[in-house]
Every structure is written in C-alpha cells, then in structure tokens.
Amino acid sequence: MVNQTRVCILMPPRIQSVGLASELFGNETATYNWYDYSLPRFELHIALIFVVAQIFHFFLKRLGVPLFISQLIAGLTLSQAVLQDKSSTVWTDKGVQVLGTVGAFGYSFFMFLIGVKMDPSLITRANKSTLTIGILSVIAPLLCVMPVILISFDPISERGPKFQTFFLSACYAVTSFPAIFVLLGELKILNSELGRIALSSAITGDLLSLFMLIVGNVLNVLMQDGGTAALNELALVVTFLAVVFLVLRPGMLMAIRYTPEGKAVTETCIFVVFLLFLACVPLIQWSNFMPLAPYILGLAVPHGPPLGSALVEKFESMVNNLFLPLFVVSFGLRMKPLDIDWGDSDTLLKANVALVVVALVVKLIACFLPSYLSRMPTMDALALAFIMSTKGIIDMGMFTFFFDEAIIDQKMFGFTFYVVLYTATIVPVVVKYLYDPTRRYAGYNKRSLMHWKPYSELPIVSVIHVPDNVASVINLLEASCPTKENPMDVNVLHLIKLSGQANPIFISHQRKRRASSTTASYSQNLIISFNKFEGNNWGAVSVNAFTAVSPPDLMHDDICNLALDRLACLIILPFHRRWYIDGSIESDNDYIRALNARVLEKAPCSVGIFIDRDNLQRRAPMPVDSSLEAPSYKVAIVFLGGGDDREALTLSKRMSRDNRVALTVVRLTAQNGNEEWDSMLESEMLREMKSNGYINYMEKGVADGPETAMIVRSMVTEFDLIIVGRRYNLESPQTSGLKEWSEFPELGVLGDLLASIDNHSGRCSILIVQQEEIVVSSKPKMDMFP
C-alpha cells in the first residue's frame, strides 16, 4: 500500500501583508498576523540570519576564521538544536521550506559560477609536483579507507550501512577546488607562490574526484539495482557530458568568435547561458550524479573574457552575498540534537569517525611528502597539506543531498556537520600560522638607490595599468637619460584585473620563446612600445615584460614579488588620477590608489609614484659633446631632509650625469635652524651638489608650511619634472600647517601639494620617492588606505 499524505494549501496564498502599521493602527481588525505572510516572513529571516552571522564574524575574523563558518554557526544558533521549543516562534515549516529552496538554488548557482571561473586546461601546464600532489590527495585516502570499511561491517547483514559509508568515505577523501579557492581568497594568498601551487593541485584533484564520483555512482547503481539500471545511469551521464561539451561549448565558442575583439558579449548570449543553467537545476532529481550538473555546465563555459567574465560580473555578487549565505545557514538549521548519541552498538558512527581520521591523516601525509621531497620549505609544505585537506561549501552540499535523499539519518548528518565545522575552522588558523607571504621580504640586503653602485645597471620595476601609462612611464624613463655608463634594467609589469576565472596568472614574455596567442594578446601593444624604447636606447636599456592577472586587492604581492625576484631597487607606480590636457579630471581610480598605498607599505625596495601631466614628451637624443645646446629636461628636487629626500636626491644626481638634464636643487631650511635629521650625511651629499658646476643649487629659509607652499607652487611653471621625498608622517617646521589640508595623505605633504588640482595649469610632472623601509616584523601591517 502506498503511503499518502494530505496537505492543506490556502488559495490564494498569503504573500504580501497590508503592512505592520495598518495592522496596528488600522480601523479594521486584522484577520491574520503579518508573520503569516510569506514575503515579510522571508525578509525577517534574511535580516535575522545576516545580523547573527555578522555578530559572530565580528569576533571570529580576528582568529582568521572564514565568513562561511560564522554563517554556519549562525545557522546552528538559530536551529532547533539550540533554541529548542522556542524555535517554533522563529521558524515555521513554510518558512524553512522557502529558505531551503532559495538556499539550494544559491548552491547550484555557486557551483555553476565556480565552474565558469575554473580553467581545466591548467592541468596540461602543471608540473610533475603539482600533478602528483593532486592525484595523491584523492587516491591515497580512498585506498586507505577501503580496508576500514571492509573491517567495520559484515558483508551480508550490514550491506546498507556499508554502502552508506562508501558514499561518505568518498566525501571525506575528495579534493574540492571550490573549497580551496574560497580558503585562499579568505587568507589573501590566492596569487602567492603557495596559492598558485595549491590551485594547480586542487584542479587536478577536483577533476579526478569528479571522475571517481561518476564511476562510484555507476558502480553503486550496479550493485543496488542491477546491470540494466547501471547501463541507464551510464547512458544518462554520457549523454549529458556529450551534449554539454560537444554541442553547447562549441556554440559558446562560436558566439565568442562573432564578438568583436575588446567588446562585451551580447545580453542575449548571457541570457541563453543563464537559461541553460536553469535547465540543469531540475536534473538534480534524476540521478545521484546530477547535483554536479551545474558545475559541469560551468566547466564548459569558456573562462575569462568576454563570456565567462560577463557571467561572473553580473551574478557573482548576488550569489555570494545573498543566496549562498542562506544555503550555509540552512545547513546549520537542519541540526536537531546539539550533541551526538555515541551508542555502544552504533557501528556506523564509530566507523565514520575512523574513516574521517584515516582520510585526513593520509591526505596530510600524501600532500606533505611530495612537497617536502621537492625541496619546498617544511612550513610551506605543511601549510599546503592543510590547504588540500580543507572542507567547505561543496562538502556541505553533498552531505545535505545525502540527508535530503535519506541516504544518511539525522545522527550521521550531525556528525558530518561537525566534520565540516571543525575542519574548516582549524585549517585557516593553522595555515595562517604556518605560512606568511611577507616572510620573503625580511632579512635581505638593502635595495635602495643610495646603496646601489653609482655606475652599475639600475634595476627598476615599472607598473602599467592602462595604455596611457605606457607613454607616461616611457617618457619618465627617457627623462632619466639612461646611457651606457648609467644603464637601466627595466622590468615592465602589466597588471590586469582577474575577472571570470579563478586562477591568477603570471606571465613572463620571453622573446626567444614563442608565447601562445592567449598569452601574447594580454600585453602585445605594451611589449611593442617598450621594445621600441629599448631599441632607441640600444646598450643603455634592457627591457623585460611581464603580465599579472590577479584580484585587485592582491596585486601588490605581484609587484613586490617581481621586485624581489629581479633585485630591483626602485618601483615606479602610476598615480591613480589622470587629467585631460585642459586640466580637468579624466579618471580617478580608487583601487589603484589603494594598491599604491599597499605597495608603499610592503615594498622590498624604494618606491616612486609618478604623476604625469603630459609634459615629458620624448626629446631627440643629443650628442654628448654638444654642451652648448639647451638641455632637454628641466628637473628640480625640493629637499627638506630625511631618508626619502636623500633617496630622491640620489636619483636626481644620477639623472644629472647626462647633460640633457638641467637639475636644480632647492633646499628649504627652517629659519629657527633646529634640524635633527642625519645632518652630516646630508651635508656631505649637498656639498657634492654645490661643487658641481652643472647643478643649480639654491637654499632658502622658510618659517612655516604656507611659505613652503608658495615656493613650491611657484616652481611648477618653471620645470618639466619635480622630485620630492614622500616624508610620510614626518613633522617639520617647513611643512607645519599643511597636513590638515591634504587631499592625498599617502603622498606626503609636498607630494599632496603638488598633486592637488590647483596645480594643473603648471603642466609639471611629479615624482614622489620613498626610501626602502626596514622590515621589522614578518606580520603585515594595517593598510594606510582602506
């Protein structure tokens, strides 16, 4: 006899209430409470969830705990396991159903977007070490948990628990790329050396896990329902994969080919792909394999621009900030008893405890040994092993599916809840303790202009964001007048915002090695321009081009790592604001401003921020013996004192060795004569400037900041380039009273004064120099600009 359940449904359904004010102060007596209506009830649940989650995260984030763990704890706090009988006043059956439905949709959407951002072709470019780590992270735990399962259960009388444990053991052993990607993003080490290795290994492990899950599902159907059902299941899987990768993906690639280069795909194309995703969601009910259908469809979407990035930019914020938190909280709301009943006869639960311990320990060892044997530092190898062992949202989705399909009961679901909670909480804390990317910057030789040999090749890192930066940087380098006696090693780094893909990319453009078309297209015009600049200064300049595709809040790591690897002593950063020729603002980019502030704080060498006013046009080279000709560049340095000013003075001195540069040194001294900076060193440096007949030296006494401002403002019409030291948070009588009016405090007082909009009529370019700061701690400081 078939079990039947009768459900009463009110028609029409109560969705939108008449409003709380109408119910409280209206003339008519309300028949229903506003809480009986689905929309205000759903809105209340969303507000409650986000408030409780943010309260927990306010305290837990200081320990390095990810946001989704705070959401998970919020779900547990609001569940029946904690509220007991009071939970019925907050949650109704209808409210939980609505929340669970929206959360399940959010989980499927998250899976789809992660697939869109993932690049499976990276497996073909992975080295042996990352391939080994990725394969062993899946195979080794699976092989080791099998004996535990065979020993724990009787092959005849306990077939049900055995198959149930087979499903769970696969979840314990698999490597989840989405979980690792989210963890690395939370720890802000996505584009670090360890992060790149972890992502490459995770892609290998994730695709292998996907294959193992497909095979395991077919074998399970074979053993449970026979050969015919297994063939039907296999046919369903093969048909779905064939349609996705042989029909849909070629169609998407064709749409991209018909999209003009540099243009966005049409809204119709995005709408069609979104409809395909919606069509995958109902397939979840067809098979145990089909919960992965949105993820597989996402893998078929070409990552990156124009299609992948358009999908991510349009939907990611909504999914990650609204739908996905509801799913995480609904996972915690499923908890009924807070504790787990460890009965003496519960073989299933005890076996799963053993499986979790064996799987995690074996995974740690399997990921640590290849890293350690490939000469990775021990702490980094341990951190990588813990990263590969983490659990996350994908694991929660699988456990939720098993629970909803009655594959596991309430007790086992509670156990899996604590497995995810403890693993995802402990791993980030341990990784944060073991791995510190700023550790590379400590304990190496000083890399500043003052400590560089005078007549040796000067290594520089120049950062490019947009095409306009190319001409600006080249003009600045031309104004530096490199010669065979004063050569430059210019390392150009083109920064591109990571969009529509998960893996950060760092490309070294080697001339002698033919780059792929995808690689070359990133920075082709930049490479051509700098190669021409190198050709115009043959023997005086060597150029190396690089491209970094990474998240904006992590780009400073790419800059600092390149400066460290190339032994650079100066990083040149473009200013975040650009002007039109009439002086009006063309663009003002806050993320570039924040990036510059982070580089100023963490750079392993000296830094210069270049403000281009389009007046440093390329000048024709002048013969060395033509000393009677007018100089090509008029450069001035404003010297007040301190390490940054000495660094700026060293740079200007190097530029003045070429007679194409007319250098003017303006020293501003306090009239009270109370100077306490390294006066002996500065006096010696300035004495050399005074004795040089080709340098115009001036010394002026000033009483306060306004008098300094008058002198500096009068210089902008007389020079092509003014160099100043940053002197951040350095008080002096010469700048007193100016700090309160700063628009760009990260530039220092004089840098801010020269960068202000009032100076646009002078058409004078500015270079603000900061000397390398001594690293006293391996822990990163707070950003000076949020």
Side-chain angles (χ1 to χ4, degrees):
M1 183 177 179
V2 179
N3 294 328
Q4 296 181 352
T5 303
R6 292 185 178 183
V7 179
C8 295
I9 301 177
L10 182 66
M11 297 299 292
R14 304 190 195 110
I15 299 176
Q16 179 63 61
S17 71
V18 296
L20 184 61
S22 299
E23 294 183 6
L24 294 178
F25 307 108
N27 295 327
E28 298 180 1
T29 304
T31 307
Y32 302 105
N33 191 311
W34 67 271
Y35 194 70
D36 295 330
Y37 295 86
S38 59
L39 182 58
R41 183 176 60 240
F42 181 59
E43 292 172 341
L44 176 64
H45 288 166
I46 291 178
L48 183 63
I49 286 169
F50 278 85
V51 168
V52 175
Q54 290 301 320
I55 291 174
F56 278 112
H57 194 58
F58 178 78
F59 298 100
L60 295 179
K61 66 182 180 181
R62 290 164 171 75
L63 302 176
V65 176
L67 175 60
F68 91 91
I69 290 297
S70 301
Q71 296 165 350
L72 195 61
I73 296 176
L76 179 64
T77 305
L78 298 172
S79 69
Q80 182 180 342
V82 175
L83 297 181
Q84 300 295 331
D85 296 336
K86 296 180 181 179
S87 64
S88 59
T89 61
V90 180
W91 305 102
T92 63
D93 292 338
K94 294 180 180 179
V96 173
Q97 288 175 4
V98 172
L99 190 68
T101 301
V102 176
F105 176 77
Y107 173 77
S108 299
F109 215 153
F110 171 76
M111 292 276 287
F112 170 70
L113 291 180
I114 284 291
V116 170
K117 293 191 286 186
M118 184 173 167
D119 182 11
S121 65
L122 287 178
I123 292 182
T124 61
R125 302 193 294 272
N127 56 37
K128 293 182 179 179
S129 178
T130 55
L131 284 175
T132 302
I133 294 171
I135 294 173
L136 288 180
S137 68
V138 178
I139 298 298
L142 278 177
L143 293 178
C144 292
V145 298
M146 291 304 171
V148 178
I149 298 175
L150 296 176
I151 294 173
S152 302
F153 298 101
D154 183 86
I156 299 175
S157 61
E158 296 180 315
R159 289 189 62 186
K162 178 184 289 188
F163 284 115
Q164 182 178 346
T165 308
F166 270 121
F167 275 109
L168 291 173
S169 64
C171 298
Y172 303 148
V174 296
T175 297
S176 171
F177 173 83
I180 293 173
F181 172 73
V182 171
L183 173 63
L184 295 176
E186 287 278 354
L187 295 175
K188 298 188 181 301
I189 56 173
L190 195 62
N191 63 340
S192 65
E193 184 179 3
L194 184 68
R196 297 176 194 275
I197 295 173
L199 283 178
S200 297
S201 302
I203 289 177
T204 304
D206 191 87
L207 295 180
L208 180 60
S209 300
L210 184 62
F211 174 76
M212 299 290 288
L213 288 175
I214 294 174
V215 174
N217 180 58
V218 174
L219 292 177
N220 175 64
V221 175
L222 175 65
M223 300 180 70
Q224 294 275 28
D225 302 323
T228 303
L231 287 176
N232 292 335
E233 181 77 11
L234 182 61
L236 177 64
V237 172
V238 172
T239 301
F240 178 78
L241 294 177
V243 170
V244 168
F245 289 100
L246 299 181
V247 178
L248 299 182
R249 180 174 172 83
M252 298 178 201
L253 292 174
M254 183 178 297
I256 292 175
R257 282 197 297 269
Y258 281 102
T259 301
E261 186 175 357
K263 300 293 183 180
V265 294
T266 62
E267 289 292 328
T268 302
C269 185
I270 297 176
F271 180 70
V272 169
V273 176
F274 180 66
L275 285 180
L276 292 174
F277 157 71
L278 293 179
C280 285
V281 176
L283 297 179
I284 293 176
Q285 305 300 324
W286 287 16
S287 166
N288 291 338
F289 160 76
M290 284 306 168
L292 300 172
Y295 181 51
I296 294 175
L297 177 64
L299 291 176
V301 177
H303 72 284
L307 181 56
S309 58
L311 289 168
V312 172
E313 290 174 2
K314 185 174 289 291
F315 298 116
E316 185 177 38
S317 179
M318 175 183 64
V319 172
N320 290 349
N321 297 317
L322 177 60
F323 290 141
L324 196 60
L326 297 182
F327 167 74
V328 176
V329 171
S330 68
F331 184 76
L333 287 174
R334 286 175 165 83
M335 289 289 290
K336 294 294 176 65
L338 188 61
D339 56 349
I340 301 175
D341 182 15
W342 299 90
D344 295 336
S345 60
D346 199 336
T347 307
L348 177 62
L349 189 58
K350 295 179 179 179
N352 275 271
V353 173
L355 288 174
V356 170
V357 174
V358 171
L360 291 180
V361 171
V362 172
K363 186 184 282 282
L364 284 172
I365 297 174
C367 296
F368 171 77
L369 287 179
S371 308
Y372 182 75
L373 294 176
S374 60
R375 298 183 179 180
M376 181 183 289
T378 304
M379 300 287 278
D380 292 359
L382 277 174
L384 178 60
F386 274 96
I387 290 172
M388 297 296 292
S389 303
T390 191
K391 298 296 177 187
I393 294 173
I394 301 301
D395 306 277
M396 292 164 52
M398 290 191 289
F399 294 142
T400 300
F401 176 76
F402 292 158
F403 180 67
D404 292 343
E405 294 295 321
I407 297 176
I408 60 176
D409 57 12
Q410 181 68 55
K411 184 186 296 185
M412 283 306 306
F413 178 80
F415 174 74
T416 58
F417 173 88
Y418 287 114
V419 169
V420 174
L421 179 65
Y422 291 144
T423 306
T425 303
I426 294 172
V427 167
V429 176
V430 173
V431 172
K432 197 171 184 179
Y433 173 78
L434 292 174
Y435 182 71
D436 181 9
T438 62
R439 198 167 52 215
R440 297 186 65 199
Y441 306 153
Y444 59 90
N445 296 330
K446 293 183 71 66
R447 304 245 170 83
S448 64
L449 296 168
M450 288 186 61
H451 297 84
W452 204 256
K453 295 180 180 179
Y455 291 95
S456 60
E457 187 176 55
L458 183 67
I460 296 175
V461 171
S462 298
V463 176
I464 303 295
H465 294 283
V466 295
D468 289 346
N469 296 149
V470 176
S472 300
V473 170
I474 290 178
N475 290 338
L476 176 62
L477 296 175
E478 288 276 12
S480 301
C481 299
T483 62
K484 293 183 179 180
E485 292 75 23
N486 285 318
M488 286 185 180
D489 176 26
V490 181
N491 301 281
V492 186
L493 178 60
H494 186 196
L495 292 176
I496 300 176
K497 180 181 177 181
L498 183 69
S499 178
Q501 61 188 65
N503 296 73
I505 301 173
F506 191 88
I507 304 166
S508 176
H509 300 280
Q510 299 289 342
R511 288 187 182 180
K512 297 181 180 180
R513 186 185 68 186
R514 183 179 178 182
S516 64
S517 58
T518 304
T519 300
S521 64
Y522 280 118
S523 309
Q524 185 175 5
N525 294 332
L526 178 148
I527 296 171
I528 293 173
S529 299
F530 275 92
N531 284 345
K532 184 177 180 181
F533 165 67
E534 182 180 14
N536 294 337
N537 296 272
W538 186 80
V541 175
S542 61
V543 174
N544 301 287
F546 303 87
T547 296
V549 185
S550 58
D553 56 344
L554 300 178
M555 285 179 176
H556 62 279
D557 286 332
D558 291 315
I559 299 172
C560 295
N561 288 336
L562 180 62
L564 193 62
D565 293 338
R566 302 298 296 181
L567 306 179
C569 62
L570 179 64
I571 298 173
I572 298 176
L573 303 173
F575 192 51
H576 68 275
R577 178 176 289 180
R578 300 200 307 274
W579 292 266
Y580 289 111
I581 194 169
D582 62 353
S584 59
I585 297 177
E586 177 184 359
S587 65
D588 199 343
N589 197 314
D590 287 337
Y591 102 77
I592 294 180
R593 183 182 182 185
L595 170 65
N596 290 348
R598 292 188 181 101
V599 174
L600 286 168
E601 179 185 336
K602 301 177 181 180
C605 61
S606 297
V607 180
I609 296 182
F610 180 52
I611 304 174
D612 182 34
R613 303 283 187 167
D614 291 331
N615 65 318
L616 285 177
Q617 302 299 326
R618 301 185 191 183
R619 317 295 170 88
M622 190 174 66
V624 177
D625 57 353
S626 56
S627 58
L628 298 178
E629 296 286 343
S632 301
Y633 301 98
K634 295 181 180 179
V635 180
I637 173 174
V638 181
F639 186 89
L640 276 70
D644 294 345
D645 280 16
R646 291 194 296 271
E647 192 77 356
L649 189 65
T650 304
L651 176 61
S652 62
K653 180 181 177 182
R654 184 183 179 98
M655 296 171 64
S656 68
R657 290 175 185 153
D658 194 291
N659 56 8
R660 289 174 288 177
V661 176
L663 178 63
T664 299
V665 178
V666 179
R667 187 186 187 190
L668 302 180
T669 60
Q671 289 182 350
N672 57 18
N674 185 20
E675 308 240 7
E676 298 181 357
W677 297 293
D678 302 326
S679 55
M680 294 183 61
L681 178 59
E682 292 172 2
S683 299
E684 180 63 23
M685 295 179 68
L686 293 172
R687 185 184 64 79
E688 296 180 12
M689 294 294 189
K690 294 177 184 179
S691 61
N692 191 328
Y694 296 99
I695 297 176
N696 182 22
Y697 179 84
M698 295 185 294
E699 188 167 324
K700 298 181 180 181
V702 293
D704 52 17
E707 189 172 350
T708 298
M710 291 180 59
I711 295 174
V712 172
R713 289 178 183 273
S714 66
M715 296 171 59
V716 297
T717 58
E718 301 177 8
F719 298 96
D720 301 315
L721 175 67
I722 296 179
I723 305 175
V724 297
R726 181 177 177 233
R727 307 180 78 251
Y728 183 71
N729 282 339
L730 188 60
E731 301 289 342
S732 65
Q734 299 97 310
T735 58
S736 61
L738 297 179
K739 186 176 181 180
E740 290 75 10
W741 303 97
S742 291
E743 183 181 4
F744 309 110
E746 68 273 12
L747 299 181
V749 175
L750 291 185
D752 170 77
L753 181 66
L754 290 167
S756 64
I757 194 64
D758 297 334
N759 293 330
H760 71 270
S761 59
R763 311 300 302 164
C764 177
S765 297
I766 315 298
L767 182 64
I768 300 101
V769 179
Q770 172 188 273
Q771 190 180 43
E772 172 212 8
E773 293 186 341
I774 300 175
V775 180
V776 296
S777 174
S778 62
K779 296 295 180 184
K781 300 178 289 183
M782 294 296 293
D783 291 335
M784 67 189 72
F785 182 80

